[in-house]
């Protein structure tokens, strides 16, 4: 009798512990894999035309940096813009705002631009548009989406030497070295699977970095990781952050993405594995951790069954088997000796 009581108490506490583990595992799993957002949703669709005028006496786009003796379409050229945004395709149609910022030729082999600009809308028009959309679409909704965290590992090759460098100086003080404050480098750097430049190409880093500190080597990094292989082919991640290259490991924010990484956020860890002080060439290891939503919208957000049995469920299953064993043993003992 005492033995049976001890066994039952052991089963009870084991069952309580198993239930606690199950709840904890489910809670963590739901946060990381199934996100439910209660919000008032508003979606605005803005449609307009962007006029980039490079010609004439008063162009809205002017070249402010780039390699010497190059055309505006050459790799590395940077154009500052104050372009008109209009309601119709003609420049003379109703003005709705302006695009202010810059774009840069960030690819060596294609016409691909890095765009850094603000769309500034005229107040009267913005109030009209916002009011109409708020009135039409303001309602309480529950959005359920499957979240996913992805870890990407690759190597970044910044080549300044040779006949075809992937990083070129486009702006900076005259008679300065590449490591002086103010120097700005446009890049179209290879991203590879391994540390060797000859290893498998998985993408490119396109954008620029600038020496933005006077008392140390710290860079402002503005670039896109453009992936060219596997399930992420055609998708991008956008990096904007500070890179103090003297540190062993540097952290920079991932501020967005496109394709599979639409609405992504996260961080990138950079570690220099090779640097040539004579040429400035460098190989940098990147570990990128990014949170984004599952691309397959057909997957039920609340369903976690695809992950199999959780730790707490394993414990419950064990308790169930132990209970059957003890119950059978107790029946056997009773039938033989009572």
């Amino acid at each position: 009798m005492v033995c049976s009581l001890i066994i039952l108490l052991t089963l009870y506490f084991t069952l309580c512990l198993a239930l606690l583990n199950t709840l904890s595992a489910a809670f963590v799993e739901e946060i990381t894999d199934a996100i439910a957002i209660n919000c008032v949703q508003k979606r605005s669709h803005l449609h307009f035309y962007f006029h980039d005028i490079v010609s004439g006496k008063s162009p809205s786009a002017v070249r402010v940096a780039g390699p010497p003796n190059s055309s505006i379409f050459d790799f590395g050229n940077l154009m500052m813009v104050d372009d008109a945004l209009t309601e119709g395709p003609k420049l003379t149609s109703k003005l709705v705002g302006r695009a202010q910022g810059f774009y840069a030729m960030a690819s060596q082999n294609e016409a691909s631009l890095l765009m850094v600009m603000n769309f500034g809308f005229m107040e009267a028009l913005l109030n009209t548009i916002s009011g109409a959309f708020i009135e039409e679409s303001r309602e309480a909704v529950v959005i359920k989406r499957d979240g996913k965290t992805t870890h990407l590992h690759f190597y970044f090759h910044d080549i300044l030497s040779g006949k075809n460098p992937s990083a070129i100086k486009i702006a900076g003080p005259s008679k300065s070295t590449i490591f002086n404050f103010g120097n700005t480098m446009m890049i179209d750097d290879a991203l590879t699977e391994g540390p060797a430049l000859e290893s498998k190409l998985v993408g490119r880093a396109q954008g620029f970095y600038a020496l933005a500190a006077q008392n140390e080597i710290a860079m402002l990094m503005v670039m896109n990781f453009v992936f060219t292989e596997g399930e992420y082919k055609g998708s991008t991640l956008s990096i904007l952050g500070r890179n103090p290259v003297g540190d062993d490991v540097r952290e920079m924010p991932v501020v967005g993405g496109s394709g599979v990484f639409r609405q992504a956020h996260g961080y990138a860890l950079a570690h220099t594995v090779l640097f040539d002080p004579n040429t400035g060439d460098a190989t940098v290891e990147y570990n990128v951790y990014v949170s984004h939503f599952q691309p397959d919208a057909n997957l039920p957000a609340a369903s976690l069954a695809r992950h199999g049995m959780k730790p707490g469920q394993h414990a419950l299953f064990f308790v169930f088997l132990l209970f059957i064993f003890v119950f059978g043993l107790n029946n056997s003992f009773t039938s033989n000796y009572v």
Side-chain angles (χ1 to χ4, degrees):
M1 180 67 181
V2 175
C3 182
S4 298
L5 183 60
I6 292 173
I7 292 173
L8 286 174
L9 287 172
T10 302
L11 286 172
Y12 173 76
F13 286 114
T14 306
L15 181 62
C16 289
L17 181 61
L19 283 170
L20 182 61
N21 287 337
T22 301
L23 289 173
S24 300
F27 179 70
V28 173
E29 201 88 32
E30 285 173 3
I31 285 181
T32 54
D33 286 350
I35 303 171
I37 305 170
N38 293 298
C39 63
V40 177
Q41 187 181 35
K42 186 180 77 171
R43 184 182 297 273
S44 298
H45 172 210
L46 302 176
H47 178 256
F48 49 81
Y49 293 84
F50 170 103
H51 301 272
D52 193 47
I53 309 301
V54 184
S55 61
K57 293 182 179 180
S58 183
S60 62
V62 296
R63 180 176 179 267
V64 296
N69 304 319
S70 61
S71 73
I72 61 171
F73 301 108
D74 287 342
F75 172 61
N77 278 307
L78 189 147
M79 307 290 292
M80 192 64 66
V81 303
D82 182 16
D83 288 343
L85 306 177
T86 64
E87 196 172 56
K90 293 182 178 181
L91 183 57
T92 53
S93 60
K94 183 179 178 181
L95 184 71
V96 298
R98 303 200 74 85
Q100 297 173 333
F102 69 83
Y103 61 80
M105 304 293 166
S107 175
Q108 291 178 303
N109 301 316
E110 60 178 332
S112 180
L113 305 177
L114 170 71
M115 310 286 286
V116 182
M117 64 181 65
N118 294 313
F119 288 152
F121 298 103
M122 296 171 63
E123 184 177 359
L125 179 72
L126 183 60
N127 288 339
T128 303
I129 292 177
S130 298
F133 274 97
I134 290 172
E135 185 178 352
E136 289 176 3
S137 64
R138 176 172 286 184
E139 56 179 325
V141 296
V142 177
I143 305 170
K144 291 186 177 180
R145 304 182 70 177
D146 278 351
K148 183 179 181 183
T149 299
T150 298
H151 171 210
L152 300 170
H153 177 253
F154 49 82
Y155 292 84
F156 167 106
H157 301 272
D158 194 44
I159 308 299
L160 286 72
S161 62
K163 294 182 178 180
N164 190 32
S166 61
I168 59 173
K169 181 183 173 183
I170 62 168
S174 59
K175 298 180 181 180
S176 62
T177 69
I178 59 171
F179 302 110
N180 288 150
F181 173 62
N183 278 315
T184 303
M185 307 292 290
M186 189 65 67
I187 64 172
D188 184 12
D189 288 343
L191 305 177
T192 62
E193 198 170 58
L197 183 58
E198 300 78 19
S199 59
K200 183 179 179 181
L201 186 72
V202 297
R204 304 201 72 85
Q206 297 177 335
F208 70 85
Y209 60 81
L211 279 297
Q214 290 180 302
N215 300 318
E216 61 176 321
I217 302 177
M219 300 175 177
L220 168 69
M221 308 291 289
V222 182
M223 61 183 172
N224 293 314
F225 290 147
V226 184
F227 299 103
T228 57
E229 287 292 328
E231 62 179 305
Y232 305 122
K233 182 177 181 180
S235 298
T236 67
L237 287 173
S238 297
I239 306 293
L240 174 62
R242 183 176 184 268
N243 184 4
V245 296
D247 295 350
D248 182 48
V249 178
R250 293 87 69 188
E251 179 178 338
M252 289 166 280
V254 175
V255 297
S258 66
V260 172
F261 298 120
R262 184 179 296 173
Q263 297 182 344
H265 62 278
Y267 60 96
L269 300 177
H271 166 68
T272 302
V273 296
L274 181 66
F275 175 70
D276 186 339
N278 295 318
T279 63
D281 293 353
T283 300
V284 182
E285 180 184 22
Y286 270 86
N287 281 283
V288 182
Y289 298 87
V290 59
S291 298
H292 55 106
F293 293 116
Q294 293 276 22
D296 187 357
N298 296 320
L299 288 176
S303 174
L304 302 173
R306 64 183 183 278
H307 297 285
M309 193 177 290
K310 300 171 182 61
Q313 291 174 331
H314 280 103
L316 284 174
F317 186 65
F318 171 75
V319 170
F320 177 70
L321 290 178
L322 183 62
F323 178 79
I324 292 176
F325 173 75
V326 172
F327 183 76
L329 186 65
N330 188 56
N331 282 346
S332 175
F333 177 82
T334 304
S335 62
N336 289 333
Y337 297 100
V338 177

